[in-house]
Amino acid sequence: MTGIKIAGTGSYLPEFELTNELLETIVETNDEWITSRTGIKSRRTADGETNLFMSTASCKSAIENAGIDKKDIAAVICATFTNDYYTPSVACLLQRDLGLNEGTLAFDLNAACSGFLYGMHTAYSLLRNTPDKYALVVGTDLVSNVLDYTDRSTCILFGDGSGAAVIGLDKDSPYYFTPGSIGNDTSLYCPSNVTPNNPFRKNKRKSSAPFIFMEGSEVFKFAVESIKKCISQTLAAAGVAIGEIDHFVLHQANGRIIATAAKRLGAPIEKFFMNIGKYGNTSAASIPIALAEMNQNGMFRRGDKVVACAFGGGLTYGASYFTF
Ligand code: UT7
């Protein structure tokens, strides 16, 4: 079949390390609670970097890693829910800052933490019309912009970062994807922060603080159920057994979610990559950051079988199967 190949990967993490110990100084929490409930020890938070700055850095590094000519990039798809502007999109500004062709199809996509996998699937669909070209898929989020640092149930979880991958089609590689969308604006949401200035508007909407709100235990249950469901469906479609998979790259939301998923799938935990301890939950960036780190550390051999799986706001989820 014609599937996808990841030609190159890159990432950017802000320098500032926000440790559990530092969080202890601003909310009632402690390292023991955070570590045992989530596996997170530290996370990076932007100190002046914009979403575009982080994305430009991760994309430059992915293009360099792929060793391709920028002229061969036909699409830039940026998965984010924390754009610097309502418009322009991060992707469009990446066209400018990376010096890409004007003919590049550049747009942002919002599927929260599942965004990178939704972006990869969109890239796959688009590239089928231009099979000799590449797509740049970016997962990037500046979650610290929308965190309430007085809410200990969320501010300890998230970090900032950006990851990118250059994706091409390959006629001898597999690619399968199972998406899921369940509309829900009560378990996990982040209201937009617009104060309308329209003098003719008589019916004012109640405005809420522009911060992430999450019913953690509900989302935990949704996560473990959807991971099992969509990975099983994807592998059944591909005709590949769980035991054949070399690497499971799951959205880094909680180490306990990953451990539970491994158990339910009957796969050894050693095959599940984890870097949540140092970066926390970086939303749409977590999977491409993981791919870049694994690639940089030489963890992939050509042809390795990979399952990537994400879940998050929307609610959205998805699992893809491809070879590296
Ligand atoms: O990327 C998007 C997808 N997101 C996720 O997948 C996240 C899924 N959810 C989770 O990872 C977990 O539900 C959390 C890590 C968010 C929370 O863990 P939990 O085991 O579900 O804890 P909980 O929310 O049930 O809270 C247990 C207790 C509560 O106290 P009481 O009511 O039992 O007295 C909380 O108030 O822990 C308390 N608590 C804290 N204590 C110390 C909540 N946050 C903290 C904290 N430090 N930071």
Side-chain angles (χ1 to χ4, degrees):
M1 79 177 290
T2 295
I4 60 163
K5 270 283 177 233
I6 296 189
T9 56
S11 67
Y12 175 85
L13 277 312
E15 262 177 46
F16 181 70
E17 288 185 38
L18 180 52
T19 59
N20 292 350
E21 288 71 23
L22 277 172
L23 284 167
E24 282 175 16
T25 67
I26 59 164
V27 283
E28 199 173 328
T29 191
N30 56 77
D31 175 54
E32 200 282 324
W33 192 96
I34 302 174
T35 308
S36 62
R37 301 281 178 135
T38 69
I40 302 168
K41 299 294 286 180
S42 188
R43 69 287 293 141
R44 302 293 182 89
T45 57
D47 183 16
E49 294 99 325
T50 60
N51 194 328
L52 177 64
F53 178 90
M54 299 197 301
S55 304
T56 306
S58 68
C59 287
K60 279 186 177 162
S61 143
I63 294 169
E64 192 184 318
N65 182 244
I68 60 155
D69 188 334
K70 283 190 296 191
K71 289 193 184 69
D72 290 330
I73 294 175
V76 182
I77 301 167
C78 183
T80 188
F81 81 101
T82 53
N83 186 5
D84 304 315
Y85 303 98
Y86 280 117
T87 189
S89 63
V90 179
C92 213
L93 296 179
L94 283 171
Q95 179 278 333
R96 178 192 69 190
D97 290 358
L98 296 170
L100 304 178
N101 292 331
E102 194 176 315
T104 307
L105 182 65
F107 61 95
D108 289 359
L109 168 165
N110 178 351
C113 305
S114 311
F116 180 78
L117 295 187
Y118 275 48
M120 242 171 71
H121 190 62
T122 308
Y124 170 71
S125 311
L126 290 172
L127 288 174
R128 292 174 74 87
N129 285 326
T130 50
D132 301 331
K133 300 286 186 191
Y134 293 98
L136 187 55
V137 183
V138 197
T140 183
D141 268 313
L142 221 163
V143 190
S144 64
N145 271 359
V146 289
L147 278 183
D148 176 357
Y149 281 93
T150 65
D151 176 5
R152 66 177 182 174
S153 72
T154 51
C155 76
I156 55 115
L157 298 171
F158 295 93
D160 299 330
S162 180
V166 175
I167 311 275
L169 291 189
D170 186 276
K171 62 178 178 34
D172 300 316
S173 296
Y175 173 71
Y176 292 86
F177 180 64
T178 308
S181 309
I182 309 166
N184 177 324
D185 58 3
T186 53
S187 303
L188 173 52
Y189 62 92
C190 181
S192 57
N193 183 21
V194 183
T195 310
N197 181 23
N198 177 351
F200 300 104
R201 187 177 285 191
K202 292 198 188 84
N203 301 303
K204 305 261 187 267
R205 272 179 59 201
K206 230 174 60 195
S207 64
S208 358
F211 298 131
I212 288 186
F213 173 85
M214 181 164 67
E215 290 286 359
S217 53
E218 267 179 44
V219 178
F220 192 107
K221 272 185 236 135
F222 151 74
V224 291
E225 278 158 24
S226 53
I227 293 169
K228 168 97 197 291
K229 186 167 60 183
C230 63
I231 291 184
S232 305
Q233 284 174 8
T234 302
L235 291 183
V240 175
I242 266 281
E244 293 178 60
I245 301 302
D246 299 297
H247 310 279
F248 293 88
V249 186
L250 266 56
H251 170 47
Q252 307 285 303
N254 186 324
R256 284 193 297 135
I257 291 179
I258 297 177
T260 309
K263 213 172 192 175
R264 290 199 181 184
L265 288 162
I269 188 72
E270 297 70 35
K271 288 189 177 180
F272 288 72
F273 180 78
M274 268 202 241
N275 62 4
I276 187 167
K278 47 186 183 177
Y279 303 140
N281 179 345
T282 55
S283 184
S286 90
I287 288 184
I289 288 174
L291 291 172
E293 189 172 331
M294 294 170 78
N295 194 17
Q296 194 174 18
N297 293 345
M299 291 173 70
F300 292 122
R301 287 157 299 148
R302 278 286 154 195
D304 272 2
K305 296 184 168 77
V306 181
V307 162
C309 180
F311 46 87
L315 299 168
T316 55
Y317 62 88
S320 60
Y321 165 69
F322 53 91
T323 53
F324 200 82

